[in-house]
Amino acid sequence: MPAIEADPTRAEGSARDDQGQLHFPPVTRDHILNCSYDAWFPKYRTSCIKSRIIPLTPEFVSYIREDGIVLADEGNNNPDDDDWEPTNPSKDYPAPPRDPNEPEYSDDSEDEAEPLPPRLPPNKRFPTLHAQITSAIAELGGTVAPKLNWSSPKDATWISRHPNTVKCTSANDVYVLLKSSSFISHDLDHAFDDTVPSSSMTPPFQPVLVLRSFFNPLPSLEFRCFVKGRNLIGITQRDPNYYAFLNSLRPHIVKRIKEFFLKRLKFTFPDACFVFDVYVPEAGYDSDERLGRARLIDINPWAPRTDSILFDWGELLDTRVERPVLGGALSEADQKDHEGGGDSWDDDESEEEEGEYVPELRIVEKDDPLAYNFSSPAYSAHKMPKEVVDASMAGEGGMREFADQWRRMQEAQQQVQGQGQGQGQE
Ligand SMILES: Nc1ncnc2c1ncn2[C@@H]1O[C@H](COP(=O)(O)OP(=O)(O)OP(=O)(O)O)[C@@H](O)[C@H]1O
Ligand SMILES: [Mg+2]
């Protein structure tokens, strides 16, 4: 992360120096940890998609990191059953270096010719976690969208059985997406890159798997929102396409997002500057409103790693807010003081609006050249995971083995699959 202190090459109040380099305020380890799903979900649960958070073990993390994809044998997931035969022996998928965190596999055979044991499938390697994931999927209605602490594997949807979505109906679906995603590797290995130490004692990083009940969001109604000094300053469409109907929805979008921000987030998030993502669904048929309540999808750091989409980070960094509120989350009493003693938690809009920054909403306009920048397939640079590269390097046989194994797994799974399809927003 670039440095921050007074810089003679920057015009006063500008985040950009003479070379066009952006200067962000320092990002601490705490800022990143505060955006981890498990840190904020419990506080905002009632505005979120129904989710389960499963702490991950070192064995699971090793499994995600290592090359090759060994999947659970769903038809044979009794951990006491020793009859398992590996479906992809290590000659086809090179075995990873031995991880000291991994338990030694007990192996009765003294065969010196096989220095590394075949890798166990997830249901034998981490049976408890595998069972937790399987039952969480069932609890969430049978279809989930997975992510780790910060990122979802949206660069890996091409490999999914449910094309172009992060939809998963089994633990194996989850494993394939996680193992094929560069964004997931980033969460595990680079989440704290470019951060500065926090002044307070920060808890150690605990990797978690987040399973959210799957639904079919309308991409046009997903928005990213920028908060500076606890003021909502900007809202941008997340999807890069032009939607003609969005223009007429402008006031409704801003109203719903402001309402959510003021009631739930403004004073309660630990940091004064952050970025949150919402989904604003269409209103129910019995409602007078055109849009329903905003749902919180994610919280991201105020940092270069967060895509500013239709804004430029320079504009956001240079935006001046008249009533910035700095520091940590306020107590409820302090919140009332700050609102002039009024009840800021009801639906009285006039009171909420007073002195509030008016956020700018950016949507993709017709013939917007910005939209054309997105015309290439998303995440194309990430579309070839290491497993596929390895398999292709192993020649035609390796690639065929990979495809065969994946197809066999899908077929077996389709046979045992339940029918539950959750729409489940809480
Ligand atoms: N429960 C869900 N069901 C279906 N799709 C979902 C669900 N949750 C999220 N998505 C889709 O996945 C997308 C990415 O989700 P999310 O914002 O949590 O991922 P992310 O990796 O943090 O993204 P970014 O890098 O942009 O911050 C969302 O924009 C939405 O389209
Ligand atoms: Mg995010």
Side-chain angles (χ1 to χ4, degrees):
M1 176 119 352
I4 347 56
E5 310 306 331
D7 179 345
T9 67
R10 282 156 62 188
E12 202 189 335
S14 170
R16 216 176 268 285
D17 66 21
D18 284 351
Q19 280 78 47
Q21 190 75 30
L22 272 180
H23 293 253
F24 279 74
V27 178
T28 65
R29 206 181 147 82
D30 267 353
H31 287 136
I32 303 300
L33 285 171
N34 289 341
C35 293
S36 181
Y37 204 90
D38 55 320
W40 52 261
F41 173 76
K43 204 187 278 183
Y44 307 121
R45 172 187 291 268
T46 54
S47 300
C48 297
I49 310 297
K50 193 172 174 185
S51 308
R52 293 285 180 274
I53 298 175
I54 301 174
L56 297 176
T57 59
E59 287 76 24
F60 187 92
V61 172
S62 304
Y63 168 74
I64 294 300
R65 280 200 183 115
E66 73 196 15
D67 294 343
I69 301 182
V70 179
L71 294 173
D73 176 353
E74 294 285 27
N76 182 23
N77 60 358
N78 178 356
D80 297 321
D81 181 350
D82 281 334
D83 287 335
W84 173 78
E85 290 288 331
T87 51
N88 52 348
S90 51
K91 68 181 169 56
D92 288 321
Y93 292 96
R98 177 102 171 74
D99 183 330
N101 291 323
E102 272 192 58
E104 287 279 1
Y105 302 118
S106 63
D107 184 355
D108 287 338
S109 92
E110 298 285 348
D111 189 355
E112 299 272 327
E114 189 137 351
L116 289 170
R119 280 172 288 159
L120 293 171
N123 49 319
K124 303 229 166 160
R125 186 161 163 184
F126 37 86
T128 309
L129 200 49
H130 179 75
Q132 270 179 291
I133 294 169
T134 304
S135 61
I137 293 173
E139 284 165 27
L140 293 168
T143 48
V144 298
K147 71 184 287 180
L148 293 197
N149 304 57
W150 298 278
S151 302
S152 82
K154 51 196 190 315
D155 56 332
T157 55
W158 64 273
I159 202 173
S160 166
R161 300 190 301 125
H162 313 280
N164 301 321
T165 77
V166 287
K167 184 195 277 186
C168 294
T169 55
S170 71
N172 273 344
D173 286 351
V174 174
Y175 303 148
V176 168
L177 279 180
L178 298 186
K179 284 182 69 67
S180 306
S181 166
S182 304
F183 297 150
I184 295 300
S185 311
H186 188 275
D187 272 18
L188 292 174
D189 298 323
H190 299 286
F192 300 103
D193 285 2
D194 301 322
T195 59
V196 299
S198 301
S199 49
S200 58
M201 284 282 287
T202 43
F205 163 48
Q206 165 63 62
V208 294
L209 172 65
V210 176
L211 298 176
R212 297 180 284 191
S213 178
F214 188 88
F215 72 113
N216 280 312
L218 293 175
S220 51
L221 296 178
E222 291 192 69
F223 299 94
R224 172 155 290 180
C225 314
F226 300 87
V227 179
K228 187 174 191 184
R230 298 199 184 278
N231 280 262
L232 177 61
I233 60 168
I235 301 172
T236 162
Q237 185 183 325
R238 273 185 93 177
D239 189 78
N241 293 300
Y242 166 68
Y243 297 98
F245 67 90
L246 274 187
N247 212 26
S248 70
L249 281 178
R250 274 179 170 278
H252 305 273
I253 295 165
V254 174
K255 175 177 178 238
R256 281 308 199 182
I257 295 178
K258 275 186 79 171
E259 172 185 282
F260 167 70
F261 171 70
L262 293 170
K263 284 187 182 174
R264 303 300 317 272
L265 277 183
K266 180 173 166 107
F267 293 114
T268 57
F269 193 68
D271 301 312
C273 299
F274 59 98
V275 181
F276 65 97
D277 298 325
V278 287
Y279 182 60
V280 189
E282 292 170 295
Y285 289 118
D286 53 348
S287 170
D288 295 336
E289 302 277 353
R290 287 186 62 187
L291 295 174
R293 280 195 305 135
R295 300 281 165 177
L296 181 61
I297 298 290
D298 197 18
I299 302 184
N300 312 283
W302 180 273
R305 68 181 71 191
T306 299
D307 187 352
S308 54
I309 313 182
L310 297 177
F311 285 93
D312 180 280
W313 263 119
E315 299 171 78
L316 297 164
L317 289 163
D318 287 348
T319 299
R320 288 188 181 279
V321 286
E322 269 180 34
R323 293 176 61 193
V325 185
L326 304 173
L330 299 187
S331 69
E332 209 162 310
D334 287 344
Q335 290 168 27
K336 288 218 165 85
D337 282 353
H338 210 276
E339 295 292 322
D343 178 2
S344 63
W345 302 96
D346 65 18
D347 278 331
D348 184 342
E349 280 169 40
S350 56
E351 220 164 347
E352 286 172 353
E353 299 290 326
E354 209 182 306
E356 228 18 87
Y357 195 97
V358 179
E360 178 183 351
L361 167 63
R362 289 202 186 161
I363 59 179
V364 177
E365 305 292 347
K366 193 160 190 273
D367 302 325
D368 191 338
L370 270 177
Y372 298 139
N373 292 340
F374 295 106
S375 58
S376 63
Y379 320 118
S380 49
H382 302 270
K383 279 194 170 172
M384 203 48 79
K386 191 155 184 352
E387 286 69 31
V388 176
V389 176
D390 289 347
S392 63
M393 303 269 274
E396 202 185 319
M399 203 64 199
R400 196 183 314 117
E401 169 68 23
F402 178 87
D404 281 355
Q405 190 208 359
W406 184 226
R407 185 180 41 73
R408 278 198 304 277
M409 197 278 298
Q410 290 180 3
E411 285 167 2
Q413 204 164 254
Q414 268 155 12
Q415 282 169 15
V416 293
Q417 216 169 60
Q419 60 286 68
Q421 292 281 315
Q423 270 277 313
Q425 291 180 25
E426 239 176 28

